Amino acid sequence: SYIRTVAVMECEASENDDLIKKMSSDTFYTDAKAYWESVPATVNGVMGGFANLSSCDITGSKKFLLPFIQGPTAFVPPDIALDCGAGIGRVSKRLLLPLFKEVDLEEPNSAFLEKIQGYLGESGKRIGHYFPVGLQEFTPQERHYNVIWCQWVLSHLRDSDLVSFLQRCILGLVPNHGVIIVKENVSTDEDDFDDEDSSVTRCMETFLRIFSEANLCIVKQENQPKWPGNMFPVTMFALAPNSSKMNISTCSS
């Protein structure tokens, strides 16, 4: 989900059972769809009322991403990026389009898609494709993307669907010249379900388990700097396939 403040709560076994039940519910995806259909197609809407943090977020993302595409350690050509859960195109407009030749967008909300062209302006001409489908049903084009950017969206996938999606993303990367970027809220305790938007804020242990199951390794990991202390921490992960031939010392199975 979008940015979230921390709610102090006791973690008990019954809560974990409740989390599993809610994520397994037949309405897990439809409830999330209904929530986002009620959200205004604005920056403030897609950021859950925290539009004032957008510049801080983009600055942190750019600093994290640039070494992969520029400079002596770069191995990712700035050719084609995929923006997953693109919303109205905030990340594409301010981060991806200024750096990449072409950007594709995945976004299932029709109201957001209608807003994108006007919001992106002239830079929208370099959008390659729009994919109006949820990530649980989406398959990236194989061997096509240099960066697959997933921000504040993976919380809307069940664990099993997230593993499957990441495995499909691996196939979507240009071999040895692509990276998956995950930027998500991270719970400092147990996984935390949000009934309002039908999402789960995962703890670090869960993220690491999911990345391992998807056969991905962490190339780089940083927390979003200058983030308010009353918010869930936001962590950025750069992920590459364990089978990658890239000479990256931090990438290990």
Side-chain angles (χ1 to χ4, degrees), residues 136-156:
Q136 70 274 18
E137 301 171 344
F138 176 61
T139 299
Q141 182 178 337
E142 289 191 14
R143 307 167 69 91
H144 187 66
Y145 295 105
N146 301 110
V147 166
I148 297 178
W149 190 275
C150 308
Q151 179 169 354
W152 289 324
V153 64
L154 302 185
S155 58
H156 287 294

Side-chain angles (χ1 to χ4, degrees), residues 110-152:
S110 59
F112 291 170
L113 288 173
E114 291 172 5
K115 181 78 172 183
I116 283 176
Q117 283 289 359
Y119 177 74
L120 293 179
E122 189 70 16
S123 66
K125 293 181 179 179
R126 289 188 291 111
I127 297 297
H129 299 90
Y130 296 91
F131 301 105
V133 62
L135 290 183
Q136 70 274 18
E137 301 171 344
F138 176 61
T139 299
Q141 182 178 337
E142 289 191 14
R143 307 167 69 91
H144 187 66
Y145 295 105
N146 301 110
V147 166
I148 297 178
W149 190 275
C150 308
Q151 179 169 354
W152 289 324

Side-chain angles (χ1 to χ4, degrees), residues 37-168:
E37 287 175 348
S38 72
V39 169
T42 63
V43 172
N44 202 48
V46 298
M47 293 196 69
F50 294 99
N52 60 305
L53 294 176
S54 182
S55 292
C56 174
D57 164 63
I58 295 295
T59 299
S61 295
K62 185 176 181 180
K63 183 179 179 181
F64 184 81
L65 178 61
L66 275 179
F68 291 102
I69 61 176
Q70 297 178 6
T73 61
F75 64 89
V76 178
D79 293 331
I80 305 178
L82 171 65
D83 185 358
C84 296
I88 62 170
R90 181 187 70 91
V91 171
S92 285
K93 180 176 182 177
R94 299 193 59 189
L95 176 69
L96 300 178
L97 283 167
L99 297 175
F100 290 83
K101 297 175 183 177
E102 183 178 315
V103 177
D104 288 350
L105 286 80
E106 177 277 338
E107 174 53 57
N109 187 309
S110 59
F112 291 170
L113 288 173
E114 291 172 5
K115 181 78 172 183
I116 283 176
Q117 283 289 359
Y119 177 74
L120 293 179
E122 189 70 16
S123 66
K125 293 181 179 179
R126 289 188 291 111
I127 297 297
H129 299 90
Y130 296 91
F131 301 105
V133 62
L135 290 183
Q136 70 274 18
E137 301 171 344
F138 176 61
T139 299
Q141 182 178 337
E142 289 191 14
R143 307 167 69 91
H144 187 66
Y145 295 105
N146 301 110
V147 166
I148 297 178
W149 190 275
C150 308
Q151 179 169 354
W152 289 324
V153 64
L154 302 185
S155 58
H156 287 294
L157 291 178
R158 296 186 180 109
D159 286 2
S160 58
D161 287 337
L162 176 50
V163 171
S164 296
F165 170 67
L166 290 173
Q167 290 172 334
R168 296 195 297 275

Side-chain angles (χ1 to χ4, degrees), residues 6-23:
V6 176
V8 178
M9 57 189 298
E10 294 182 359
C11 295
E12 301 174 352
S14 60
E15 291 176 345
N16 186 56
D17 292 341
D18 188 49
L19 171 69
I20 294 172
K21 181 178 179 180
K22 289 178 177 179
M23 290 185 70

Side-chain angles (χ1 to χ4, degrees), residues 151-214:
Q151 179 169 354
W152 289 324
V153 64
L154 302 185
S155 58
H156 287 294
L157 291 178
R158 296 186 180 109
D159 286 2
S160 58
D161 287 337
L162 176 50
V163 171
S164 296
F165 170 67
L166 290 173
Q167 290 172 334
R168 296 195 297 275
C169 285
I170 290 173
L171 298 177
L173 293 175
V174 176
N176 301 314
H177 296 287
V179 66
I180 301 166
I181 307 293
V182 169
K183 187 170 185 177
E184 293 285 345
N185 300 334
V186 178
S187 171
T188 56
D189 200 342
E190 302 291 331
D191 295 351
D192 181 20
F193 192 84
D194 186 346
D195 289 293
E196 183 182 16
D197 68 350
S198 189
S199 69
V200 60
T201 299
R202 294 178 169 92
C203 65
M204 186 61 69
E205 181 181 359
T206 299
F207 273 116
L208 296 181
R209 172 181 58 79
I210 286 172
F211 297 156
S212 177
E213 289 180 9

Side-chain angles (χ1 to χ4, degrees), residues 230-252:
N230 65 329
M231 304 287 189
F232 276 114
V234 175
T235 301
M236 295 172 280
F237 304 93
L239 307 170
N242 275 326
S243 59
S244 174
K245 296 180 181 178
M246 293 178 296
N247 184 23
I248 302 173
S249 60
T250 53
C251 187
S252 59

